[in-house]
Amino acid sequence: AQASNLVVTNDGLSGEKARNPLTLTRFANSVANGRPDVVLIMHGYNDLEDGSVISDTVSAVDALMAEARNRRVGRVFVINLAPPRPGGVNSRPTSTITAFNDRLQRAAAGEGAVYVDIYSAMLSSVSTYIGADGLHPNEAGYRKIAETVMAAIQANLEVR
């Protein structure tokens, strides 16, 4: 067996909005400095306080994907938004999330990115995966996200 020299860097910031111009700058610097072979992008929920910003938010995430492509990242994975848990104080309307995810899927295809569908993976058991606030995953939810992303990575990258 060959030892792996895999390095994982988490440059995510809690509460960051994709539409904030500093997000693209921070992302570009991170990619330039780290020179990763693979990038996972999971952005958008913090921007969607209402449905009026869906297009702008998808455009902002699309700019992150384009930045990764322009900096010659080998593979970009973009992760859609998890389903909301109805009744939570931070829940977003399901229609807003599905509209965002639909547009994000088209943007990912346009950028040649791998679209990772955690929404579908979590939909059958939302209350099992999303906390009472309606927005944030609980421990089981984070595990389901990790499993879904890992399956996409294994399906799209050569594993030795």
Side-chain angles (χ1 to χ4, degrees):
Q2 184 178 5
S4 174
N5 60 355
L6 181 69
V7 176
V8 176
T9 304
N10 178 357
D11 284 341
L13 286 180
S14 178
E16 183 177 56
K17 292 188 177 191
R19 292 178 296 122
N20 181 336
L22 296 176
T23 299
L24 180 57
T25 301
R26 196 178 68 71
F27 179 80
N29 289 335
S30 178
V31 172
N33 293 332
R35 296 189 312 231
D37 295 318
V38 176
V39 169
L40 307 176
I41 299 171
M42 186 177 189
H43 243 304
Y45 236 122
N46 293 324
D47 295 87
L48 299 179
E49 283 130 26
D50 61 52
S52 68
V53 297
I54 291 172
S55 291
D56 290 343
T57 303
V58 170
S59 293
V61 176
D62 190 32
L64 298 175
M65 291 186 282
E67 183 67 28
R69 178 180 39 80
N70 291 337
R71 292 193 180 267
R72 303 201 185 335
V73 170
R75 191 62 102 149
V76 176
F77 291 79
V78 65
I79 304 160
N80 69 0
L81 302 182
R85 181 173 174 172
V89 296
N90 292 320
S91 289
R92 307 292 194 265
T94 298
S95 60
T96 298
I97 302 307
T98 56
F100 175 86
N101 285 344
D102 289 346
R103 291 183 187 187
L104 184 65
Q105 185 172 21
R106 289 192 298 274
E111 286 294 339
V114 176
Y115 181 77
V116 182
D117 186 6
I118 64 167
Y119 184 96
S120 295
M122 300 173 88
L123 187 59
S124 65
S125 298
V126 172
S127 62
T128 300
Y129 299 126
I130 304 297
D133 76 342
L135 171 67
H136 295 95
N138 56 26
E139 186 176 336
Y142 284 116
R143 187 175 307 109
K144 187 66 169 178
I145 291 168
E147 290 167 357
T148 305
V149 172
M150 187 62 181
I153 289 170
Q154 289 174 328
N156 288 277
L157 299 176
E158 182 179 14
V159 180
R160 295 188 223 176

